[in-house]
């Protein structure tokens, strides 16, 4: 594992300069730190802001920039202007990443950065990740994949580096909470973001609020389900989520799991 980190450092030095796509998640935070350690000001860490970017994730990113002194910029991504993205097909992420990576490449050209790199890891190569297709088409480098680092290894290496994100729950954009085929709108994203802030405020840090029209389907970690099964909490959630605009509130007894909305996909519909 430490050998892989040494290889990562070597690759980053060979790049000479790069822009790091940085969300504040586990993988991009680790990559940003190592790039900063190896390249200093020749590594620009860039965060894309949009209605689909969770508020808590933005706060984490800002704190890491402040703590480590990353050279950092915010940019605005325009995926909500793309009708292909808004209609929410199963390859929605392709359109988002294509927009993001195109903007990062233009930024790299203006700033004379040689490469754009992202935080995809080896686990991403075995899952449905249409955003990776956009990265491959635009020749975005994925150094964590190049050295064979898995999510588990990245978490451990992050812990050894003292990164607060080492045990952070998996993160994804807010649009991933909306079932495929249901249009993505700023209002839905607002409801999801505020709903998840309510859940985190109650101590449920590993959670998802899935938007099913009038229904908020809440997923929390199964080990936390017992503490959620209280009438007082039900009353509180019903009241607060209805304030957000939902009519009904449901607790998913299968609990939190990543990619839950991919469960309905077949090998054919994954690429439609």
């Amino acid at each position: 594992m430490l050998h892989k980190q040494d290889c990562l450092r070597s690759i980053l030095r060979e790049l000479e300069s790069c822009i790091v796509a940085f969300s504040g998640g586990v993988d991009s935070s680790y990559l940003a730190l190592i790039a900063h350690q190896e390249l200093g000001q020749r590594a620009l860490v860039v965060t894309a802001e949009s209605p689909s970017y969770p508020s808590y994730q933005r706060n984490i990113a800002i704190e890491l920039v402040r703590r480590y002194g990353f050279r950092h910029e915010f940019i605005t991504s325009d995926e909500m202007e793309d009708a292909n993205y808004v209609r929410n097909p199963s390859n929605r992420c392709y359109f988002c990443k294509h927009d993001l990576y195109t903007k990062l490449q233009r930024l790299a050209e203006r700033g004379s950065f040689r490469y754009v790199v992202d935080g995809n890891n080896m686990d991403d190569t075995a899952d449905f990740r249409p955003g990776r297709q956009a990265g491959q088409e635009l020749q975005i480098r994925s150094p964590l994949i190049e050295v064979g680092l898995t999510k588990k290894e990245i978490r451990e290496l992050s812990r050894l580096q003292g990164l607060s994100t080492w045990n952070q729950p998996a993160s994804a954009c807010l649009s991933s909470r909306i079932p495929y085929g249901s249009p993505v709108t700023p209002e839905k994203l607002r409801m999801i973001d505020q709903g998840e802030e309510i859940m985190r405020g109650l101590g449920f840090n590993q959670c998802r609020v899935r938007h099913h029209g009038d229904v908020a389907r809440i997923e929390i970690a199964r080990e936390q389900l017992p503490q959620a099964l209280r009438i007082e909490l039900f009353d509180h959630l019903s009241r607060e989520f209805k304030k957000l605009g939902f009519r009904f509130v449901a607790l998913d007894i299968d609990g939190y799991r990543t990619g839950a909305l991919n469960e309905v996909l077949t090998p054919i519909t994954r690429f439609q």
Side-chain angles (χ1 to χ4, degrees):
M1 182 176 63
L2 290 175
H3 171 68
K4 292 181 182 180
Q5 181 170 262
D6 291 339
C7 290
L8 175 63
R9 292 184 183 278
S10 178
I11 286 175
L12 291 168
R13 288 194 297 269
E14 289 172 3
L15 297 184
E16 297 183 0
S17 65
C18 68
I19 285 179
V20 182
F22 172 62
S23 67
V26 177
D27 305 319
S28 68
S29 296
Y30 172 70
L31 179 60
L33 178 62
I34 303 301
H36 175 70
Q37 290 174 349
E38 294 301 320
L39 299 175
Q41 293 299 296
R42 289 175 293 131
L44 175 63
V45 175
V46 178
T47 304
E49 294 197 280
S50 79
S52 67
Y53 187 40
S55 298
Y56 84 97
Q57 202 75 52
R58 185 183 192 278
N59 293 335
I60 291 170
I62 291 172
E63 172 57 26
L64 291 173
V65 169
R66 184 200 63 76
R67 177 178 177 184
Y68 293 103
F70 297 157
R71 181 180 178 186
H72 177 259
E73 288 186 19
F74 280 110
I75 64 170
T76 300
S77 60
D78 298 313
E79 68 271 18
M80 295 298 292
E81 304 301 317
D82 185 345
N84 291 309
Y85 178 89
V86 170
R87 68 183 178 87
N88 200 13
S90 59
N91 63 340
R92 176 197 64 243
C93 292
Y94 171 85
F95 303 104
C96 174
K97 294 299 186 185
H98 196 281
D99 173 77
L100 170 62
Y101 292 147
T102 299
K103 284 182 168 58
L104 293 181
Q105 284 185 325
R106 290 172 183 163
L107 184 61
E109 290 169 5
R110 291 197 301 270
S112 298
F113 292 93
R114 295 188 65 201
Y115 295 93
V116 176
V117 301
D118 67 22
N120 281 305
N121 66 64
M122 284 300 295
D123 294 350
D124 296 320
T125 64
D127 198 2
F128 180 53
R129 292 285 190 272
R132 286 201 65 234
Q133 180 186 344
Q136 291 167 341
E137 290 175 1
L138 295 171
Q139 298 183 312
I140 304 302
R141 296 282 294 267
S142 299
L144 303 179
I145 292 177
E146 292 177 32
V147 300
L149 279 168
T150 65
K151 187 76 155 192
K152 182 178 179 181
E153 291 171 328
I154 293 165
R155 288 189 182 280
E156 178 58 17
L157 290 169
S158 296
R159 186 186 68 80
L160 294 174
Q161 288 287 336
L163 273 166
S164 59
T165 52
W166 76 272
N167 64 344
Q168 180 177 295
S171 59
C173 81
L174 297 173
S175 298
S176 67
R177 280 64 149 174
I178 302 173
Y180 296 124
S182 177
V184 178
T185 68
E187 177 64 11
K188 289 179 183 178
L189 298 173
R190 177 197 63 79
M191 293 166 70
I192 293 165
D193 193 29
Q194 293 182 6
E196 292 188 355
E197 286 296 299
I198 290 171
M199 298 306 297
R200 274 186 288 274
L202 293 169
F204 299 103
N205 293 322
Q206 193 167 56
C207 67
R208 290 286 189 269
V209 173
R210 309 289 186 184
H211 192 294
H212 297 271
D214 288 340
V215 180
R217 177 168 61 85
I218 303 172
E219 298 175 6
I220 62 174
R222 293 205 69 166
E223 59 269 23
Q224 289 190 299
L225 277 174
Q227 70 187 75
L229 301 179
R230 296 182 288 113
I231 294 298
E232 315 87 73
L233 182 62
F234 292 168
D235 291 341
H236 178 75
L237 294 180
S238 176
R239 182 170 58 253
E240 295 303 313
F241 274 74
K242 287 175 181 177
K243 287 180 184 177
L244 300 181
F246 292 105
R247 291 186 62 195
F248 307 100
V249 185
L251 184 64
D252 191 326
I253 61 174
D254 286 328
Y256 164 83
R257 63 271 192 206
T258 59
L261 294 180
N262 287 341
E263 294 169 359
V264 301
L265 298 179
T266 66
I268 294 176
T269 59
R270 281 174 180 262
F271 300 99
Q272 294 179 344

